[in-house]
Amino acid sequence: MINKDLSSRFWLMVDIQGSNECWPWMGNQDGNGYGQFWISRENPITAHRFAYTDAIGSIPDGLTIDHLCRNRSCENPSHLEAVSRGINVLRGEGLAARNARKTHCIRSHPFSGSNLRISPQGIRECRACCRIRSRKSARLPSSKKKRKDSDVRRLLSARKDAEE
């Protein structure tokens, strides 16, 4: 449980506006734009984690706090939700999140139904584009096809033998 003095000191650093608006942190921020609150000289915590804990309760093990408003300096408890790290990443704007939201490949084929293939590495692939790549590869002359590592080693060895 957070003591009242610490809680009062924290909320003085929050610009509380309307109930549905973001409440920006007015104190120090880290390099990623998250508010920093110092519980003691040696004990910093991100402001949104403190806000969630103070207003809602403890953060369940294995979960992280997501800003539903996408504003990293917001401390409004109604904008904060405890979610898994994976969900938090997919809700963001990073590369993994942008790719997960794609519904079509670069040639506008849908990533769904019989056109969807999941590779052994877990990557979504478009079956139509896989067929196109396969046909192009089959039409290439053997000199243009990618060489296997073993072929490259054999060629290099033969070249070295010829030089000696």
Side-chain angles (χ1 to χ4, degrees):
M1 189 72 182
I2 296 173
N3 72 47
K4 288 186 179 186
D5 291 339
L6 195 57
S7 180
S8 296
R9 185 166 62 89
F10 173 83
W11 292 108
L12 286 174
M13 298 299 295
V14 178
D15 183 11
I16 298 175
Q17 301 168 3
S19 62
N20 290 326
E21 296 178 29
C22 288
W23 298 354
W25 178 251
M26 299 184 311
N28 291 335
Q29 293 181 355
D30 67 14
N32 294 317
Y34 292 102
Q36 286 185 308
F37 180 62
W38 293 81
I39 294 174
S40 66
R41 287 182 190 251
E42 305 83 29
N43 196 1
I45 185 173
T46 53
H48 64 284
R49 290 180 64 84
F50 187 94
Y52 184 93
T53 303
D54 190 41
I56 297 171
S58 64
I59 300 167
D61 287 342
L63 298 185
T64 187
I65 302 301
D66 183 27
H67 285 89
L68 300 173
C69 58
R70 314 295 346 136
N71 178 355
R72 292 177 177 181
S73 70
C74 177
E75 310 311 328
N76 186 338
S78 67
H79 292 191
L80 305 174
E81 181 182 16
V83 297
S84 71
R85 184 175 299 270
I87 289 174
N88 194 15
V89 167
L90 292 176
R91 286 180 176 176
E93 293 301 320
L95 183 61
R98 289 194 310 266
N99 282 334
R101 286 192 289 270
K102 288 180 181 175
T103 58
H104 291 73
C105 74
I106 59 171
R107 291 188 178 98
S108 299
H109 303 127
F111 278 133
S112 63
S114 62
N115 191 49
L116 178 63
R117 176 183 180 271
I118 307 295
S119 76
Q121 295 80 23
I123 299 169
R124 294 182 308 157
E125 294 180 337
C126 168
R127 286 186 187 273
C129 289
C130 287
R131 283 190 296 273
I132 291 168
R133 278 193 307 275
S134 179
R135 285 185 200 129
K136 282 184 180 178
S137 176
R139 286 193 306 256
L140 285 175
S142 61
S143 62
K144 297 278 185 180
K145 290 184 180 176
K146 290 183 182 176
R147 293 187 172 132
K148 295 179 183 172
D149 287 343
S150 60
D151 293 339
V152 172
R153 282 193 293 274
R154 189 172 34 80
L155 289 171
L156 289 174
S157 177
R159 186 179 294 163
K160 187 177 176 183
D161 291 342
E163 290 173 355
E164 293 175 350

